[in-house]
Amino acid sequence: MSNFIFGRYLPGESWIHKMSPQSKLLLCFFFVLTVFFANNVWTYGVLVVVMLGIILLSGVSISYFIKGIRPLIWLIIFTVLLQILFSSGGTPIWNWGPFSITDESLINGGYIFIRFLLIIMISTVLTLTTTPLAIADGVQTILKPLKYVHFPVETLALMLSIALRFVPTLMDELETIMNAQRSRGVDFGSGSIVKRVKSAVPLLVPLFSGAITHAENLSTAMEARGFADSEHRSKYRVYHWQGKDTITWLFMIIIFVIIIFIRK
Amino acid sequence: MENIIEINNLSFKYPEQNQLFDNLSLSIEAGKWTAILGQNGSGKSTLARLVDGLLEAESGTIRVAGLEVNDDNLQLVRNQIGMVFQNPEDQFVGATVEDDVAFGLENREQPRQQMQLVVKESLEAVGMWEYRNRIPASLSGGQKQRVAIAGILAIKPKILILDESTSMLDPKGRQEIIDLVKEIKEKEELTVISITHDIEEAAIADRIVIINKGTVVADKTPIELLNREDFLKKYELETPFTTKLLSSLKELGISVPDKYLNDEELISWIKKSLSQK
C-alpha cells in the first residue's frame, strides 16, 4: 500500500498547490477532454510540452509520477500491444497468422501510450497537490448548480468529508481486526478462492459492526454540538477563485484552440 | 447558588428494557464540579443524554439554566451545554483539528471571520493551535479530547458534561485532561458534571452523586464519602489509594483520622505523626 502514490497528497507551496480546488478539478477534466482531441504528432507534441510545464509548476519531483504510473503499467502495455498487433491498414512490416504489425499501428500504439501517460499524470498532479478535504470542497462547489433541481449538495459534501475523515480510522481498525483474527488462527490470503472468501467473513463482520457503532456515536456527538441539518450552516473553509485560476484557464483554453487547429 | 440544572420526577425507559428512571429528582448547582458515579448500566450516561435532549423523557421535567428541555428549546439548551464523550475517535467530525473546532460554530451559522477568531482562541486555550492542520488519525487520544474540549469552548456554554471522557486515555492523558478542565472551569466559570468510573477524578469534585439502578443512593462531598470503603465496595466502586493506605494502617493498630484525605493531606498527616514520635 505504501508505494501506491495515486491519491496521496504532498504538501507544498507551488502555483498549482495554491490554485482553488474547484478550478483544478474542472481543469483536470478539461485537460483529459483536450487529450482526446489530439490525433497527430504535432498535437501530442504540444500536450506533452504542456504536461511537462504543469509538472514543473507543481514543484513535485518527477519520480512521484513514475511511481504513480507503475501500478498501471501492465494495463498500459496490454492495451498498446493489442493496438499494435491487431490493427489493420498502412504498410505491413511483419506478419504472423492473425497478428500483423504495420507502420500505422506502431504510431497508433505510441499515441495510446502517450494518451495514457498524460491522463495518469494530470490526475496525479491533481491528487498530489490537493488535500482530499479540498477535493471534497471542490466537488461541493462544482455541484452547487444542482441545488436548483433539489439535489442535497451540502449533505453529499458532509458525507464525503466524514467518509474521507474515517478512511484512516477504519484502515487502522481493519489492521487490528486482521491481526486479532490471525492470532486466533485465521489464515488470510492462501488456499482456494472459496477458502479465501470464507476467511474474509471474520474481517467484514466486526468491521461493519464497528462502523455502525462509530456512526451512532458520531451522530450523537454531532447532535450534541448543535447539528440540526446540513443546509442551515455557515462554512469555515472557503476556497476562492483567484487570479492564478483565471490565468491557468486562459492558457488552457488557448492550448485547446491550438489543438483544434493543428489536428488533422 | 442557583441551580443550573433541575430534574423533577423524571421517568425513562429504553424500549424492551426495564424501567431505568422512576421519579428521579436531582439538581445541580451552578459553578460547581459535580461527579456522578455508578457502575455500568446504572443510568449515568443516559441521564446526561436526557439533560442534553438527545433522549426524550417519558415523564417529568428537566430545566437547564431556566429553560425547559423540549423540542422547542432544543437548540437553546444545547447552546448552554457542551458534552465530551467517551471515545475520542467517534466525536471528531472535522477532517482536521481546525475544522472540528469550527463544526459547532458552523451549525450556529456564525460568520466566517468571527469563526476564525474563535477557533484560534479556543485552540490556544487547550494548547493545540500548532496542531490545527493535523488530521485526527495523527493525534493521540488525549490530544483528540483536547480538541473536543476546544470545540466546546468555542460555543461558550455554561455547563460542561464529561461523559466518561477520560476512560479511554492513558494515565498521563487522563491527568492532562483533568488539569485542563480544572483550569478552564475556573477561567470560564463553568459548571462541570463529570460522569466517571475514575475515583481520583471524582475526588476533586465539590460533590459526588452515586447512582445505582436509576436511583440516587448517595449525594455527598468527597470528604464525607471517599473514606467509606464498605459503602464504595457495595456499589462496586474503586476505593481511593489514600483510603486504602489509611485502612491498612488502621489494621496495623495505628489510629488514623476518620475522614477522606487527598495525597497532600495524607503526606502532611504522616509527616506530622512521625515527627510527634
Side-chain angles (χ1 to χ4, degrees):
Chain A
M1 234 26 210
S2 57
N3 55 8
F4 199 71
I5 201 74
F6 195 76
R8 190 106 65 79
Y9 167 71
L10 285 177
E13 289 286 313
S14 72
W15 174 285
I16 295 184
H17 275 93
K18 284 181 180 160
M19 279 169 64
S20 67
Q22 58 266 37
S23 98
K24 268 192 272 190
L25 266 168
L26 286 175
L27 261 180
C28 188
F29 288 126
F30 187 65
F31 187 87
V32 172
L33 188 83
T34 315
V35 168
F36 283 108
F37 274 96
N39 61 358
N40 62 13
V41 181
W42 296 109
T43 46
Y44 277 112
V46 170
L47 284 176
V48 168
V49 171
V50 169
M51 191 64 233
L52 288 175
I54 292 172
I55 290 175
L56 278 180
L57 262 183
S58 74
V60 177
S61 119
I62 195 95
S63 66
Y64 277 103
F65 293 92
I66 295 167
K67 273 192 211 158
I69 292 161
R70 217 179 273 159
L72 295 167
I73 197 76
W74 293 111
L75 179 71
I76 299 173
I77 290 175
F78 180 70
T79 321
V80 170
L81 275 182
L82 277 187
Q83 182 72 23
I84 291 175
L85 292 175
F86 288 103
S87 66
S88 51
T91 344
I93 300 169
W94 178 79
N95 243 320
W96 186 76
F99 307 109
S100 70
I101 297 179
T102 68
D103 56 349
E104 217 167 88
S105 70
L106 272 180
I107 292 169
N108 276 336
Y111 286 165
I112 289 202
F113 181 68
I114 293 172
R115 204 175 264 192
F116 257 114
L117 286 196
L118 287 173
I119 293 173
I120 294 168
M121 281 188 170
I122 194 72
S123 35
T124 312
V125 169
L126 175 75
T127 53
L128 285 180
T129 62
T130 323
T131 60
L133 178 66
I135 293 180
D137 279 325
V139 169
Q140 187 189 2
T141 314
I142 291 168
L143 291 184
K144 226 165 224 167
L146 286 181
K147 268 177 89 173
Y148 293 104
V149 292
H150 300 291
F151 185 81
V153 177
E154 286 94 355
T155 309
L156 183 83
L158 188 73
M159 275 163 57
L160 203 59
S161 85
I162 290 175
L164 287 171
R165 174 241 164 288
F166 267 98
V167 168
T169 308
L170 290 176
M171 290 280 256
D172 283 352
E173 233 166 72
L174 181 68
E175 185 90 35
T176 313
I177 298 169
M178 262 180 113
N179 288 335
Q181 302 291 30
R182 270 198 197 111
S183 76
R184 300 167 65 185
V186 180
D187 183 16
F188 298 110
S190 71
S192 67
I193 293 270
V194 178
K195 199 176 155 262
R196 282 188 198 204
V197 171
K198 271 188 184 161
S199 72
V201 175
L203 280 188
L204 290 179
V205 174
L207 192 66
F208 270 119
S209 73
I212 290 168
T213 314
H214 282 310
E216 208 174 325
N217 291 340
L218 184 71
S219 64
T220 310
M222 283 170 74
E223 231 188 297
R225 292 175 68 182
F227 179 82
D229 65 79
S230 45
E231 245 168 81
H232 297 98
R233 303 182 72 225
S234 54
K235 232 169 142 24
Y236 178 70
R237 204 169 275 275
V238 174
Y239 297 92
H240 290 292
W241 190 277
Q242 305 157 42
K244 282 192 173 64
D245 296 307
T246 317
I247 294 169
T248 317
W249 267 102
L250 282 177
F251 179 73
M252 274 311 293
I253 288 170
I254 292 169
I255 296 294
F256 181 73
V257 172
I258 292 173
I259 297 280
I260 293 291
F261 270 102
I262 62 177
R263 73 197 287 262
K264 29 173 199 208
Chain B
M1 269 294 198
E2 51 160 341
N3 292 330
I4 196 155
I5 298 178
E6 281 195 68
I7 301 167
N8 280 317
N9 309 96
L10 179 77
S11 294
F12 177 81
K13 83 188 264 295
Y14 284 108
E16 287 158 42
Q17 275 182 30
N18 292 333
Q19 192 76 25
L20 184 55
F21 296 123
D22 192 13
N23 244 346
L24 179 92
S25 295
L26 183 69
S27 50
I28 307 277
E29 273 179 292
K32 290 279 171 67
W33 183 314
T34 307
I36 299 182
L37 291 175
Q39 58 208 79
N40 288 333
S42 58
K44 318 179 293 287
S45 292
T46 308
L47 191 63
R49 280 164 169 73
L50 283 162
V51 168
D52 202 26
L54 295 165
L55 291 171
E56 208 177 333
E58 229 169 76
S59 65
T61 57
I62 301 171
R63 283 180 166 278
V64 175
L67 290 159
E68 190 175 335
V69 180
N70 57 26
D71 279 349
D72 301 330
N73 288 337
L74 215 49
Q75 291 303 325
L76 292 171
V77 167
R78 284 181 189 157
N79 284 344
Q80 308 286 335
I81 301 176
M83 270 177 102
V84 182
F85 294 92
Q86 181 176 23
N87 190 339
E89 195 64 59
D90 285 357
Q91 51 185 316
F92 212 107
V93 188
T96 67
V97 167
E98 230 179 329
D99 291 285
D100 190 65
V101 176
F103 181 76
L105 300 169
E106 290 178 323
N107 292 335
R108 289 165 179 81
E109 294 188 81
Q110 281 217 11
R112 196 162 161 259
Q113 267 184 324
Q114 171 83 14
M115 275 200 269
Q116 282 170 324
L117 284 176
V118 176
V119 167
K120 181 158 194 259
E121 220 176 74
S122 315
L123 277 173
E124 275 170 350
V126 301
M128 290 293 290
W129 176 241
E130 292 79 46
Y131 296 84
R132 62 188 174 280
N133 289 320
R134 297 277 285 269
I135 58 167
S138 72
L139 300 175
S140 73
Q143 286 173 329
K144 279 178 215 159
Q145 293 298 53
R146 276 171 182 270
V147 175
I149 292 173
I152 283 160
L153 286 180
I155 58 165
K156 300 193 168 45
K158 289 200 181 115
I159 304 162
L160 174 61
I161 300 180
L162 304 169
D163 186 1
E164 297 186 37
S165 314
T166 58
S167 65
M168 286 175 86
L169 303 181
D170 59 19
K172 186 168 159 273
R174 182 178 299 190
Q175 196 53 50
E176 274 177 19
I177 293 296
I178 293 174
D179 291 342
L180 176 68
V181 172
K182 238 197 256 177
E183 186 194 316
I184 288 167
K185 178 186 173 287
E186 294 312 316
K187 214 170 20 182
E188 311 277 328
E189 294 171 359
L190 286 172
T191 307
V192 176
I193 301 172
S194 71
I195 293 164
T196 182
H197 286 289
D198 182 29
I199 205 79
E200 312 290 341
E201 190 181 322
I204 59 168
D206 298 307
R207 169 188 174 200
I208 297 179
V209 175
I210 299 182
I211 292 187
N212 187 47
K213 292 186 184 128
T215 50
V216 174
V217 291
D219 185 351
K220 291 193 162 69
T221 61
I223 294 178
E224 295 169 315
L225 190 70
L226 294 181
N227 65 334
R228 295 167 61 186
E229 212 178 348
D230 300 339
F231 185 81
L232 293 173
K233 268 200 182 129
K234 187 176 156 199
Y235 294 107
E236 287 175 32
L237 297 167
E238 205 192 326
T239 316
F241 171 74
T242 52
T243 306
K244 278 187 209 156
L245 185 65
L246 284 177
S247 72
S248 304
L249 289 174
K250 202 174 176 182
E251 273 170 34
L252 293 172
I254 299 166
S255 69
V256 295
D258 189 25
K259 64 172 184 142
Y260 169 72
L261 301 175
N262 64 25
D263 291 356
E264 283 105 57
E265 287 164 344
L266 182 68
I267 292 168
S268 69
W269 175 77
I270 292 172
K271 275 185 185 163
K272 217 174 87 191
S273 11
L274 286 178
S275 66
Q276 276 168 358
K277 279 179 187 168

